[in-house]
Amino acid sequence: MPGRGTRSACAFCIHNAGRSQMGAAFLTHLAADHVEVCSAGSAPADTVNPAVVEAMKEVGIDISTQKPKVLTPEAVQSSDVVITMGCGDTCPVFPGKRYLDWQLDDPAGQGVDAVRPIRDQIEQRVRGLLAELGIPATV
């Protein structure tokens, strides 16, 4: 995969209000312009989880203007890497895509203290993915 130019990745979870928002934010922040990033959910919430916004702000990433989006087959088809974070069978599967299923606790209804370890796990996994793709993390 390295050397093929810009990659694309999409992070999905049910409500697109927590895990997938953090995953997309870390991908955007750490990969700069080397990865086109999207996130979506199979049943999007109305807003991003405030505890998630706060936890991300603590590491210098502002996602306060992000809005949950609905998962579309086109989003999956246009991605090289599809990261699922709890959307189960509702995420469409297309041949030729690389799927990663990251089993992470759901931050829904949790305070910032419970969200921090989830945030940190997502950051570690994003850094690992970037290393596998041969994309240096910017920070």
Side-chain angles (χ1 to χ4, degrees):
M1 286 189 195
R4 210 184 99 194
T6 301
R7 312 296 292 159
S8 59
C10 210
F12 299 113
C13 65
I14 295 172
H15 300 295
N16 190 225
R19 295 167 290 189
S20 57
Q21 290 285 346
M22 289 188 282
F26 276 121
L27 278 164
T28 299
H29 182 72
L30 296 172
D33 59 353
H34 297 288
V35 177
E36 293 178 26
V37 179
C38 73
S39 71
S42 53
D46 293 328
T47 60
V48 175
N49 179 331
V52 167
V53 172
E54 182 61 31
M56 292 302 288
K57 197 175 291 184
E58 291 176 353
V59 295
I61 301 174
D62 182 7
I63 62 170
S64 62
T65 61
Q66 294 300 312
K67 305 285 184 220
K69 295 168 255 349
V70 69
L71 169 64
T72 65
E74 294 79 22
V76 177
Q77 284 180 306
S78 67
S79 298
D80 296 312
V81 179
V82 178
I83 304 163
T84 60
M85 302 179 183
C87 65
D89 294 338
T90 60
C91 289
V93 176
F94 293 97
K97 303 295 173 191
R98 179 177 178 194
Y99 286 85
L100 302 173
D101 185 25
W102 292 354
Q103 295 298 314
L104 300 157
D105 290 337
D106 189 348
Q110 303 294 321
V112 72
D113 288 339
V115 173
R116 285 184 190 114
I118 300 166
R119 173 200 66 200
D120 295 345
Q121 289 174 14
I122 292 171
E123 180 182 10
Q124 289 173 349
R125 290 178 187 211
V126 166
R127 286 181 180 278
L129 174 60
L130 292 175
E132 285 177 32
L133 295 174
I135 298 170
T138 59
V139 186

